[in-house]
Amino acid sequence: MEMMTPTKLEYHDQMLKLQSKATFLFYFKGDDGRKALILDSTIFHPQGGGQPSDTGFICVTNSNHRFCVQDVRSKDGVVFHYGVPEDSSRESELEQGKGKEVFLLVDESRRRLNSRLHSAGHLLDVSMKNVGFGHLEPGKGYHFPDGPFVEYKGTVPPNELQSKQREIEIEVNSLISKGGKVYATVLPYEEAAQLCGGSLPDYIPQGSNPRIIKLGDNPGCPCGGTHVSDISEIASMKVSRIRMKKGMTKVFYTIGT
């Protein structure tokens, strides 16, 4: 496959946008047999950063032929929309579609759930600091529906686990009830550090322009995912379990409907 320029990520600026148009660049079958579309821009969020991929449809403008997007991945800045043609007998239309305009439609219910779970994970970080766990450094986040959690470097005194679990839950639900606008912004490194409480994680390169997510009046956080427009949209949150192992603390949570 020829070298591709990075895909423009429309959801970075417009997280609530679920429909858009793009230019069809490439249709191919990978080594694993999966078929994929590559476009010049996309509103589909690829799996990454602890968030599942979007699903939905892509169709050539002025055509009723749709490509069902089942999975989305990003490699070297290029977004691959994996799926199958809705009508396999018309697959040639996709093979000959280079340069044509396409219409993108993201599954709204899946995106909304993924965004709520992801925002909840960030709000959990805020709540952990607010109840006295600022020494725990946020690490891996898993914001999938089947058992979401955030993992922190450091541990909690075992005799405090039960009381702190309840305290965290009360704090996070208080923040949800209070609400607050959520927005994303791309900033120079120093400005981003200020918005995030004075520093950025080590994985953010010096001199870069990271994308920062800000939830209400709380400190920002580097993030490439999609989020709710207001904290209140998370609805409610339950801290279901806290588990410690090998110097790490994993906090599991669920969100209300």
Side-chain angles (χ1 to χ4, degrees):
M1 188 174 68
E2 63 189 72
M3 289 292 292
M4 307 295 295
T5 56
T7 309
K8 176 178 171 54
L9 308 177
E10 288 194 58
Y11 63 83
H12 263 190
D13 303 317
Q14 304 179 70
M15 292 188 289
L16 304 182
K17 190 175 181 181
L18 299 172
Q19 301 179 24
S20 72
K21 293 181 179 179
T23 300
F24 187 176
L25 299 181
F26 210 78
Y27 177 67
F28 79 105
K29 182 184 290 186
D31 294 337
D32 58 0
R34 294 199 299 169
K35 298 168 183 176
L37 300 183
I38 297 176
L39 316 173
D40 69 329
S41 64
T42 188
I43 52 169
F44 282 85
H45 180 276
Q47 181 171 313
Q51 180 174 329
S53 79
D54 284 327
T55 58
F57 296 96
I58 297 173
C59 63
V60 177
T61 303
N62 299 322
S63 169
N64 60 0
H65 182 39
R66 303 196 301 180
F67 182 81
C68 304
V69 180
Q70 302 169 329
D71 185 24
V72 187
R73 301 295 174 117
S74 178
K75 182 179 180 181
D76 300 326
V78 177
V79 176
F80 296 77
H81 306 79
Y82 290 100
V84 294
E86 196 168 50
D87 182 352
S88 59
S89 67
R90 299 175 62 184
E91 188 170 3
S92 60
E93 294 180 29
L94 294 172
E95 295 170 344
Q96 299 166 12
K98 185 175 182 178
K100 291 184 178 180
E101 182 182 70
V102 291
F103 178 73
L104 291 68
L105 178 63
V106 168
D107 182 300
E108 181 176 4
S109 60
R110 180 182 171 96
R111 163 68 74 82
R112 178 173 170 76
L113 176 59
N114 291 345
S115 296
R116 291 176 63 227
L117 285 166
H118 201 153
S119 294
H122 281 253
L123 203 63
L124 179 61
D125 293 343
V126 174
S127 300
M128 293 286 283
K129 292 179 182 178
N130 290 353
V131 302
F133 287 154
H135 64 286
L136 297 182
E137 182 182 340
K140 178 183 179 182
Y142 181 80
H143 312 298
F144 285 61
D146 62 331
F149 66 81
V150 179
E151 189 174 62
Y152 299 87
K153 185 177 181 181
T155 59
V156 178
N159 63 324
E160 294 183 19
L161 270 181
Q162 190 170 359
S163 62
K164 284 297 185 180
Q165 180 173 332
R166 180 59 181 158
E167 193 176 342
I168 295 165
E169 187 173 305
I170 291 172
E171 174 63 18
V172 75
N173 281 291
S174 174
L175 293 173
I176 292 171
S177 297
K178 178 183 177 182
K181 295 299 180 184
V182 178
Y183 69 90
T185 182
V186 176
L187 294 171
Y189 186 92
E190 295 300 330
E191 291 182 39
Q194 288 183 345
L195 198 63
C196 294
S199 63
L200 291 172
D202 293 339
Y203 63 81
I204 303 295
Q206 289 271 356
S208 63
N209 298 303
R211 178 177 183 259
I212 305 299
I213 291 292
K214 189 87 159 53
L215 282 75
D217 298 328
N218 304 296
C221 177
C223 182
T226 64
H227 290 269
V228 295
S229 60
D230 192 282
I231 295 171
S232 61
E233 293 173 30
I234 298 171
S236 64
M237 191 166 165
K238 179 177 178 59
V239 178
S240 53
R241 182 163 52 115
I242 299 178
R243 189 175 74 193
M244 292 188 296
K245 187 177 181 181
K246 297 181 179 178
M248 305 293 287
T249 299
K250 190 176 288 189
V251 182
F252 295 83
Y253 65 93
T254 59
I255 59 173
T257 55

